[in-house]
Structure formats: C-alpha cells, structure tokens
Amino acid sequence: MDQERIQQIVDEGYSFRMTDYISEGYELMKDQLGIFIGAGAVHFAIQLFIGSILNPQLNTGYFIMADKSRRGEEVVFDDYFKGFDKFLPLLLGGLVSMLLVIAGFICLIIPGIYLSVSYMIVYLFIY
C-alpha cells in the first residue's frame, strides 16, 4: 500500500463493509466452488480423525488455493496439499503461535484473544 493511500485512509477514515467482502470472496471462488468445498470437507475429516497437528499445512493450502483464484489462475485440488511442501517450518510456526496464545490466555483473557487473532495468519508469512 502506498503512502498516499495510507494518508487518505487516515484523513477520511475506513469503512468496513462485511457484505462486500463476503460477496468478493464468493466471486473469487464461484467458478471453482466444488474444489473449495471438497478441500473444506477433507479438512474437516482430517481434523475429526487426526486432530489439529496438520492444521497449519492445511490452512496454508487453502490460502494458496484462494490466492491462485484471486490471481485468475486455475485452481486444482492438489493445491490444497501444497502446505506440506514446508511441513516443518509450518509445524513449528503453528506450535510457537499456539504456545504464545496459551501464555496470553494464562496471563489474562484479552492478551490471549489478541494473540489468537494476530497469529491466525502466521502461516502466510512462513510460506
């Protein structure tokens, strides 16, 4: 984001429009909705039977699919598993962020909530 746009937001404020964001997300996924739903079903099944240890890798794969869709590239189901290309860094990032969130909740509830929201996208920085 350039400096001019940042200054405009500071001067004029920013309007958060949830319905616009949901509509934009649907527009990005609608051509390949089956792949996204399939990936979500696989994610749910893995969470149900294996647990959350693979969550960083699977979330990263979902982000990769969404980013490819945003750029107008073809999304294939194999993209969902691209997070496993960096298994160890994503696993360690997930564990460290989880420990920090737990520490935040032990200290006080507010830091735990803040850290859990902040570290939701840690996987994007790793990949």
Side-chain angles (χ1 to χ4, degrees):
M1 187 176 279
D2 62 2
Q3 194 67 20
E4 188 175 299
R5 175 70 178 134
I6 293 172
Q7 188 59 45
Q8 180 185 6
I9 291 172
V10 169
D11 293 341
E12 298 172 10
Y14 182 77
S15 175
F16 185 81
R17 297 174 306 276
M18 180 62 83
T19 55
D20 292 348
Y21 302 132
I22 291 172
S23 297
E24 184 179 337
Y26 175 74
E27 287 297 318
L28 287 174
M29 293 186 340
K30 74 177 180 182
D31 293 335
Q32 299 152 345
L33 195 58
I35 293 173
F36 282 96
I37 291 173
V42 169
H43 192 112
F44 177 75
I46 289 173
Q47 292 289 320
L48 188 63
F49 295 111
I50 296 176
S52 62
I53 194 73
L54 300 177
N55 210 26
Q57 293 80 11
L58 298 174
N59 284 344
T60 300
Y62 216 81
F63 288 137
I64 290 169
M65 290 172 55
D67 188 49
K68 283 181 77 173
S69 180
R70 183 186 59 80
R71 289 183 284 153
E73 298 176 15
E74 181 183 358
V75 176
V76 294
F77 191 73
D78 291 344
D79 292 334
Y80 178 63
F81 298 102
K82 296 249 185 197
F84 288 97
D85 293 348
K86 297 197 177 195
F87 182 83
L88 189 58
L90 289 168
L91 180 67
L92 292 175
L95 290 174
V96 168
S97 65
M98 180 182 66
L99 291 174
L100 291 171
V101 168
I102 290 171
F105 275 112
I106 289 172
C107 292
L108 290 170
I109 298 295
I110 300 299
I113 294 171
Y114 172 78
L115 290 172
S116 64
V117 171
S118 300
Y119 289 127
M120 284 175 135
I121 60 168
V122 73
Y123 317 120
L124 298 176
F125 295 109
I126 294 171
Y127 200 82

